[in-house]
Amino acid sequence: MSVAELRGRLRRSDRPVSVAVIVGDLLLCCAVFLMMLGYGSTTRAEETASWVLGGQIYGGWLAAGLTLFAVAGLTRALLSHLATMLLTPGALLFLVLLALLVL
């Protein structure tokens, strides 16, 4: 199988891949959001370590996904990844603030 054939097969699978990317990114963003809030931390040092680790995971996942999908030529998956990774943290923060206002 040549590189051109492989790239063609990847491009044909762009739509199912983009759905899987959205689901995976939503799950990861929710987990990282809990880390950034310090969920399960008992001390300030653990909370800070959780915040730093969450930021590293988020940044690494964003950069790796953008690089992988750009190199593979999966445009729909690339745009889905970018949109999901940028919009999900804002939406989660909005929901938390809304819950705090209601309570």
Side-chain angles (χ1 to χ4, degrees):
M1 177 179 287
S2 70
V3 173
E5 290 173 353
L6 180 61
R7 189 171 175 105
R9 290 177 102 184
L10 281 172
R11 296 194 96 204
R12 283 191 299 274
S13 67
D14 194 17
R15 185 166 296 189
V17 168
S18 67
V19 172
V21 165
I22 290 171
V23 171
D25 285 348
L26 286 173
L27 292 172
L28 179 91
C29 282
C30 289
V32 168
F33 189 71
L34 286 175
M35 287 178 70
M36 301 285 269
L37 290 177
Y39 182 75
S41 301
T42 55
T43 65
R44 185 71 174 155
E46 287 178 354
E47 189 176 312
T48 303
S50 178
W51 174 269
V52 169
L53 181 61
Q56 289 174 345
I57 291 171
Y58 180 82
W61 189 265
L62 177 63
L66 292 177
T67 304
L68 175 70
F69 299 132
V71 168
L74 300 173
T75 313
R76 185 175 284 123
L78 174 74
L79 294 175
S80 299
H81 176 68
L82 185 62
T84 306
M85 291 296 287
L86 294 180
L87 296 176
T88 302
L92 289 171
L93 185 61
F94 175 75
L95 289 174
V96 167
L97 292 175
L98 187 65
L100 289 174
L101 288 175
V102 170
L103 294 177

